[in-house]
Amino acid sequence: MTSTSTNPRILTGDTPTSTGLHLGHYVGSLENRLALQDVYDCYFLIANVHAFTTLAEKPDDIRANTLGIVKDWLAVGLDPARSTFVLQSEIPAIAELTFLFAMLIPFNKVMRNPTLKTEIDSKGLGDTYPFGFPMYAVGQCADILAFRPQLVPVGEDQEAHIEMCRDVALKFNQLYCGVGNRVVADEHEKAGGVFPIPKGKVGRVGRLVGTDGKQKMSKSLGNAIFLYDDAKAVQKKINGIVTGRASMTDPIDPNHVLLQYCDVFIGAKDASRAQQIRDDYASGKEVKDGLIKAELGEAINALIAPMRERRAKYETAAGEAMVLDVIRDGIKRANKTAEETLTLAKKAMKLDFVTRVIG
Ligand code: ATP
Ligand code: MG
């Protein structure tokens, strides 16, 4: 499916802040992408420019991580024949729309964005983060709207960003396209707006907690199980989860990360087994953490083993060449749609002095 498709569109993506994707990405967003790939015209974006907001001094890492994410996408089953892979740094319309949209968002609203605040906290950015860091929230509006999608599959942490993106689209359509203040969001395009007002779609698990049991599983926080981790590494990370029980008959908090993981990864195949584990822990029966962790490790490995195998194919020189081809092909297709959007937006803003062709 390409930009000529008449299917409704999806835009979503990942930032190359680490060598690959983790289980949180899988249950928060990738599962949805896979399920919707045939029904929607999908654009999957690698936010490699935004990776510079926290990794500006590590361009080699960002490049390697970019390739790593595409390898994971292919390994999981995102299909570049049906979907368009978008490399942010090669889509000039995104940068241009970022600047134009920055005029439509009050500065204080960006700085109050709860997702940014949480990130500043959890990533320990203090007060020395670059100007570009809060700017990425505006940039993300451009990432999304450049493709005029109806739907954005994301994890819960992105909801504030989606809200900001909806605000920008509403304001743009009202200011420059003559859409009335009373027109409801779903009717904006019909009323002449350049942009649909996109909706977020949160996955089966909106916020998968990390192995530390505290913060969300995150590439940047050292609490992630990666899709490419080998079987031993997965088990080691699971074994490292602390239950803090003094005896094998002590209950554990029903919200404990071990039980959450059992629900998500054992329960996906066998809901009654996940429930039984919960009941056993609550009943005062003797339960050996080690056995539960082994069962959980096995369930996770069964899920990611086929991905790991497929990813290994892309680790060769020929595999890497294939990944670069996929990226280059995606850039061409993505620019076609994004340029179309920019032309419409500039026309609405009376900025249509010349016709530009990027190819
Ligand atoms: P970083 O730590 O660099 O911010 P990240 O692990 O948060 O990385 P992103 O690239 O920022 O990953 O997020 C990509 C997508 O995955 C987003 O839609 C985000 O909401 C979703 N996602 C990330 N982590 C989780 C999680 N733990 N649970 C559910 N969804 C998640
Ligand atoms: Mg993130």
Side-chain angles (χ1 to χ4, degrees):
M1 233 174 270
T2 67
S3 60
T4 51
S5 161
T6 52
N7 283 6
R9 286 191 193 143
I10 277 178
L11 176 290
T12 188
D14 305 303
T15 319
T17 41
S18 181
T19 41
L21 300 174
H22 53 65
L23 290 173
H25 294 117
Y26 188 72
V27 294
S29 179
L30 290 167
E31 271 182 343
N32 264 342
R33 298 182 204 178
L34 288 168
L36 299 169
Q37 206 171 204
D38 282 323
V39 191
Y40 281 80
D41 185 14
C42 293
Y43 292 83
F44 301 129
L45 176 128
I46 307 142
N48 63 334
V49 175
H50 292 183
F52 281 81
T53 59
T54 54
L55 294 175
E57 73 290 2
K58 295 185 174 161
D60 289 335
D61 286 3
I62 296 175
R63 189 183 175 91
N65 297 344
T66 297
L67 299 181
I69 284 188
V70 176
K71 288 174 195 171
D72 273 348
W73 284 356
L74 295 168
V76 163
L78 300 188
D79 175 5
R82 282 178 286 167
S83 301
T84 302
F85 291 7
V86 184
L87 186 68
Q88 190 183 44
S89 58
E90 291 303 330
I91 314 298
I94 291 178
E96 292 173 63
L97 287 170
T98 300
F99 211 101
L100 298 174
F101 290 159
M103 315 306 166
L104 303 182
I105 310 175
F107 176 76
N108 288 330
K109 196 161 183 183
V110 176
M111 301 315 288
R112 281 200 303 267
N113 179 305
T115 302
L116 287 184
K117 282 187 167 177
T118 308
E119 276 187 89
I120 288 166
D121 238 28
S122 65
K123 294 178 183 172
L125 302 181
D127 55 8
T128 57
Y129 53 80
F131 179 73
F133 180 74
M135 186 71 180
Y136 102 74
V138 183
Q140 195 168 309
C141 300
D143 293 336
I144 296 172
L145 294 177
F147 298 93
R148 286 170 288 141
Q150 278 73 21
L151 209 62
V152 190
V154 283
E156 226 170 71
D157 63 311
Q158 294 296 307
E159 282 179 323
H161 287 337
I162 304 291
E163 208 42 53
M164 189 179 279
C165 175
R166 287 170 59 85
D167 283 351
V168 168
L170 284 164
K171 195 153 178 196
F172 187 99
N173 290 342
Q174 288 164 351
L175 258 183
Y176 302 121
C177 311
V179 176
N181 288 345
R182 294 207 177 152
V183 176
V184 294
D186 285 349
E187 299 290 323
H188 262 235
E189 267 187 301
K190 232 192 257 163
V194 165
F195 297 108
I197 314 301
K199 292 192 174 90
K201 184 174 172 65
V202 174
R204 176 162 68 98
V205 182
R207 180 189 181 275
L208 188 73
V209 71
T211 50
D212 57 359
K214 292 182 190 119
Q215 312 219 54
K216 92 168 180 75
M217 187 176 282
S218 191
K219 293 189 234 95
S220 316
L221 299 178
N223 63 0
I225 296 176
F226 290 96
L227 302 180
Y228 61 75
D229 275 342
D230 64 32
K232 260 194 178 157
V234 170
Q235 195 60 58
K236 198 168 164 210
K237 288 180 183 180
I238 295 294
N239 291 346
I241 293 174
V242 180
T243 57
R245 295 160 83 217
S247 99
M248 282 189 285
T249 54
D250 280 356
I252 57 176
D253 182 344
N255 224 359
H256 192 277
V257 51
L258 186 63
L259 291 182
Q260 288 190 41
Y261 285 3
C262 286
D263 285 345
V264 175
F265 300 106
I266 295 176
K269 284 248 168 345
D270 186 350
S272 63
R273 174 62 192 144
Q275 187 55 48
Q276 192 196 344
I277 293 172
R278 281 190 167 274
D279 294 345
D280 287 352
Y281 267 114
S283 68
K285 225 167 124 175
E286 188 176 286
V287 186
K288 291 184 176 147
D289 290 346
L291 290 181
I292 302 296
K293 288 177 180 176
E295 188 178 342
L296 176 62
E298 220 171 274
I300 293 175
N301 273 318
L303 171 73
I304 65 178
M307 303 173 196
R308 227 165 20 216
E309 265 170 43
R310 283 196 294 267
R311 195 190 208 262
K313 279 198 316 215
Y314 301 108
E315 296 297 358
T316 60
E320 202 135 293
M322 213 189 303
V323 167
L324 285 169
D325 278 347
V326 164
I327 291 175
R328 290 187 190 116
D329 179 53
I331 290 168
K332 264 194 217 137
R333 282 151 56 184
N335 266 326
K336 193 163 176 292
T337 307
E339 283 296 305
E340 227 170 70
T341 304
L342 186 68
T343 302
L344 291 170
K346 285 171 95 174
K347 186 160 188 278
M349 295 177 79
K350 317 285 178 210
L351 292 169
D352 52 337
F353 292 98
V354 289
T355 307
R356 173 173 88 180
V357 181
I358 291 187

